[in-house]
Amino acid sequence: MSDKSQFALLAERRFGPFFWTQFLGAFNDNVFKTALLTILTYEALSWTTMDPALLNNLIPGLFILPFVLFSATAGQLADKFDKARVARIVKVFEIGIMAIAATGWMTHNLVLLIVAVVGMGMHSTLFGPVKYAYLPQHLKQHELVGGNGIIESGTFVGILLGEILGAVLVVHKPWGTELVAFGTIAIAVTGWLTSRAIPVSPAPAPDLKINWNPVTETIRNINFSRQNRPVFLSLLGNSWFWFYGAIILAQFPVYAKDYLHGDHSVFVLLLTVFSLGIGAGSLLCERLSGHRVEIGLVPFGSIGLSVFGIDLFLASLAYTNTAPVDLSGFVAQHGSLRILFDCVMIGVFGGLYIVPLFALIQTRCDPTHLSRTIAGMNILNALFMVAAALLALVLLKSGLTIPQLFLVTAGLNAAVAVFIFTLVPEFLIRFAAWILIHTIHRVRSIDADRIPEHGAAVLVCNHVSYVDAIVIMAASPRPIRFVMDHRIFRIPVLSWIFRNAKAIPIAPAREDAALMERAYVEIGKALDDGDLVCIFPEGKLTVTGELNEFRGGVMKILERSPVPVIPMALRGLWGSLLTRGDGNPFGRSFRRGPWSQLALAVGPALSPAVVTPQLLQEQVQALRGQWK
């Protein structure tokens, strides 16, 4: 696994031109939309008599309407045709939309501008399936988290810069609308030029017959996604993030003006810190995940979204200024830094939440159906964002203040998180493993890329502590079915983790022959399904730190399912509080150290034809080295 920086991808043709194309698209979207929202918030009377708060929720809703209507078709096009070709056609379409918008700006025609809003929504609808289905075609699996992190970070930096430029340009007197009108056309042309350098991306389903009926195709897409439960619930989790973000971001213009009593520069500041937070959180995923898809970060991100959403409500109540202020005046006010900190941390935890979800969808979805799955996700995103706009309108009309809306959204986020993580415990299990190896112990993986990303294999490891399975789980790029002693399987608290991780309890024949036979049957089924199965062939925890004799159960497994065997060794756990030893657990804990460094060393795969218990014991012993 390469340790080079994720930013090195920007210099490569397989990634760089695509990144800049999507960056400029996000940038242009937000120059246009933010300019329109700003002018309607601060100079509404010269454009319309409608309520600015209503427009701030209506316009984002119109932008996402095409996602509902045309995502199903867009997904089919991205699966049927070369994605580079689709991207270039979409960029030409963007130039035409910006020409319509320029006419609206120059003539003060709000109808034309709203048509352009819907058009840019159509542009994003067509590009969306290309955006996320392109990456698995050109990036290796260990590059996906970093690549997604750069894409998400770049998208939100593009959003940030677009929002800043749009808000600043449109109020620039006397040429504000002209600068926005012609500037957006220039950005669209630049995006088309970068799209011409995107490399060929062969269609995964060139013989696909397009179903032009958006209703039936949408239903078919959603039903197909539901067949893969973790992927479908990841789609729902992703859509929930856009629900959360849509409510928060849509309130910023009026929140800055009516609650913080700031001018448009305060609105821009809120957008800036939020977008910088998203970018930072997205990039941080690469470091925290160790170059692999780490869905344990998703619950961590969800917790942060609720905690800082609640604190944003509390910070808003503590803000007492009622005098009009500009940016510097706002920053000088008591309580302003707390509001800004909450906004940036919502962004950071949002990045930690969303990037692993994208990577999971990309790696566990059928590659020939990925664009259509992404299209299904975009449909769900659109529905959730429409629901967010409607909920915000209803709650605001019923008398809730914007800070109270922040509180309700944070509370809903906590409820949704509990619902999703209960349905898919793998998220919480990986979170527990991630916490373990980043707090109580620091785990270094040695040659973990030898654990196969696809296909069945038996993993064989020494048995040192009660948390061996969690440590191994944290180092693996994919789920593992663990075979473990039935007594360890039943340990309180840990039993919940093992049960939901689909661990397989086993007992010696003299204790429970029926349980042992059921275990071997279950192991065979797991390997037939292409899963990883991990066994501890010593059959019990070490009480000395040395290897016990390896038993012959692995041979029985290989007789039924002849798959590759991968030896592994845990180093550094012996002597911790969670090992079995001399009867003095506190002495062991202090001797090893509660925050000691651990290592998991992975050896090369062995053919089932050469495997014996003795050979495996020798391999594991060699991997252990001198570090006990």
Side-chain angles (χ1 to χ4, degrees):
M1 185 178 296
S2 173
D3 290 327
K4 69 180 181 180
S5 169
Q6 64 203 96
F7 294 105
L9 291 171
L10 291 171
E12 300 184 28
R13 189 177 174 221
R14 62 190 173 118
F15 186 81
F18 178 78
F19 169 82
W20 291 112
T21 299
Q22 67 84 32
F23 172 86
L24 289 168
F27 179 60
N28 210 22
D29 270 351
N30 287 277
V31 171
F32 171 60
K33 285 192 301 182
T34 305
L36 182 57
L37 290 173
T38 301
I39 206 74
L40 293 178
T41 298
Y42 291 94
E43 299 182 20
L45 293 180
S46 63
W47 286 80
T48 181
T49 58
M50 295 179 68
D51 179 15
L54 175 63
L55 288 171
N56 273 287
N57 286 284
L58 178 63
I59 287 176
L62 291 173
F63 177 80
I64 63 176
L65 183 61
F67 284 89
V68 177
L69 300 177
F70 302 110
S71 281
T73 303
Q76 294 177 88
L77 295 174
D79 273 337
K80 184 176 178 63
F81 298 107
D82 180 350
K83 293 178 181 60
R85 180 186 174 193
V86 174
R88 287 190 281 273
I89 293 173
V90 170
K91 290 292 118 178
V92 172
F93 179 58
E94 181 185 359
I95 295 172
I97 297 167
M98 288 299 96
I100 294 173
T103 304
W105 285 118
M106 301 303 291
T107 60
H108 272 223
N109 189 322
L110 184 59
V111 173
L112 283 181
L113 291 172
I114 289 178
V115 168
V117 167
V118 177
M120 286 306 286
M122 185 66 183
H123 156 271
S124 297
T125 299
L126 293 171
F127 193 76
V130 174
K131 177 177 178 179
Y132 292 108
Y134 174 91
L135 294 182
Q137 277 190 291
H138 294 271
L139 300 185
K140 300 172 184 175
Q141 183 160 342
H142 71 265
E143 295 175 320
L144 272 179
V145 171
N148 275 296
I150 295 176
I151 290 291
E152 287 306 300
S153 178
T155 298
F156 279 94
V157 169
I159 290 171
L160 163 63
L161 296 178
E163 288 169 340
I164 293 174
L165 186 62
V168 170
L169 283 184
V170 77
V171 296
H172 187 278
K173 303 298 183 182
W175 303 106
T177 55
E178 289 83 356
L179 289 172
V180 173
F182 294 106
T184 50
I185 292 176
I187 296 167
V189 171
T190 305
W192 172 72
L193 292 174
T194 61
S195 73
R196 292 179 62 82
I198 296 175
V200 172
S201 303
D207 298 327
L208 177 68
K209 184 177 180 181
I210 302 294
N211 176 10
W212 297 101
N213 185 323
V215 176
T216 59
E217 184 61 23
T218 295
I219 294 172
R220 187 161 66 183
N221 265 339
I222 298 298
N223 287 337
F224 181 86
S225 299
R226 289 179 65 184
Q227 295 173 21
N228 189 326
R229 187 179 179 84
V231 168
F232 180 67
L233 289 171
S234 295
L235 298 179
L236 291 178
N238 175 83
S239 297
W240 171 257
F241 172 76
W242 288 104
F243 178 99
Y244 182 102
I247 287 184
I248 298 295
L249 287 176
Q251 312 317 312
F252 274 2
V254 177
Y255 177 66
K257 179 184 177 185
D258 294 347
Y259 289 86
L260 304 182
H261 303 284
D263 61 11
H264 77 280
S265 66
V266 176
F267 163 52
V268 171
L269 179 61
L270 294 179
L271 295 175
T272 299
V273 296
F274 178 82
S275 299
L276 288 176
I278 287 280
S282 298
L283 294 176
L284 193 58
C285 281
E286 170 80 353
R287 182 175 181 84
L288 294 179
S289 67
H291 301 279
R292 64 173 180 269
V293 179
E294 180 50 85
I295 62 174
L297 293 176
V298 177
F300 188 44
S302 184
I303 290 169
L305 288 174
S306 285
V307 168
F308 289 101
I310 292 169
D311 197 65
L312 181 59
F313 161 73
L314 297 174
S316 301
L317 296 183
Y319 182 82
T320 57
N321 171 63
T322 56
V325 290
D326 58 11
L327 188 150
S328 59
F330 168 69
V331 172
Q333 297 298 317
H334 175 73
S336 62
L337 296 182
R338 180 180 173 187
I339 290 173
L340 294 176
F341 179 74
D342 286 333
C343 289
V344 74
M345 293 309 293
I346 288 173
V348 167
F349 281 95
L352 294 177
Y353 177 89
I354 199 69
V355 169
L357 284 178
F358 276 129
L360 183 145
I361 293 166
Q362 290 165 334
T363 55
R364 298 199 191 177
C365 179
D366 178 357
T368 64
H369 209 286
L370 181 55
S371 293
R372 280 167 284 173
T373 298
I374 298 297
M377 179 185 72
N378 287 339
I379 294 167
L380 291 173
N381 288 350
L383 293 174
F384 274 63
M385 292 171 73
V386 169
L390 293 175
L391 178 64
L393 285 172
V394 169
L395 293 179
L396 291 173
K397 288 292 185 181
S398 67
L400 259 67
T401 64
I402 288 178
Q404 289 171 337
L405 188 56
F406 294 155
L407 177 64
V408 169
T409 306
L412 288 174
N413 179 71
V416 169
V418 170
F419 173 72
I420 291 179
F421 300 148
T422 300
L423 291 178
V424 186
E426 184 184 352
F427 286 102
L428 287 179
I429 293 168
R430 297 288 303 202
F431 178 53
W434 186 83
I435 289 292
L436 174 70
I437 67 173
H438 286 85
T439 54
I440 299 174
H441 293 296
R442 293 166 293 125
V443 179
R444 179 166 60 98
S445 298
I446 302 171
D447 295 326
D449 54 337
R450 288 173 169 170
I451 299 175
E453 295 176 353
H454 306 283
V458 174
L459 310 179
V460 173
C461 191
N462 57 320
H463 205 0
V464 185
S465 77
Y466 294 105
V467 293
D468 290 350
I470 297 175
V471 174
I472 295 170
M473 185 191 310
S476 173
R478 50 189 283 218
I480 299 173
R481 300 287 302 275
F482 287 92
V483 182
M484 60 179 59
D485 185 281
H486 64 109
R487 287 161 295 195
I488 296 178
F489 182 85
R490 297 190 181 102
I491 293 175
V493 181
L494 291 180
S495 65
W496 179 87
I497 296 176
F498 298 145
R499 189 168 55 253
N500 285 289
K502 297 183 179 179
I504 303 170
I506 193 168
R510 65 179 181 274
E511 293 184 22
D512 192 334
L515 178 59
M516 184 181 73
E517 183 58 29
R518 285 199 303 272
Y520 281 117
V521 170
E522 189 65 25
I523 292 168
K525 288 180 180 178
L527 293 172
D528 289 343
D529 290 339
D531 293 340
L532 292 177
V533 172
C534 181
I535 66 171
F536 301 99
E538 296 167 274
K540 60 182 178 181
L541 286 172
T542 178
V543 295
T544 63
E546 302 297 331
L547 288 180
N548 295 302
E549 180 181 356
F550 278 25
R551 300 179 181 179
V554 66
M555 303 309 297
K556 190 171 182 180
I557 293 172
L558 296 179
E559 286 175 9
R560 301 186 182 197
S561 306
V563 299
V565 179
I566 300 169
M568 305 189 302
L570 283 165
R571 306 171 177 174
L573 261 173
W574 169 249
S576 74
L577 184 62
L578 295 170
T579 58
R580 178 183 292 173
D582 55 13
N584 181 7
F586 294 102
R588 293 201 307 278
S589 179
F590 289 122
R591 181 168 67 246
R592 178 73 253 177
W595 292 281
S596 56
Q597 187 177 56
L598 313 179
L600 176 68
V602 183
L606 301 174
S607 167
V610 303
V611 168
T612 64
Q614 293 77 15
L615 175 62
L616 289 175
Q617 184 162 349
E618 291 169 4
Q619 293 281 323
V620 172
Q621 180 64 44
L623 290 169
R624 289 177 72 230
Q626 299 302 312
W627 186 9
K628 305 296 193 292

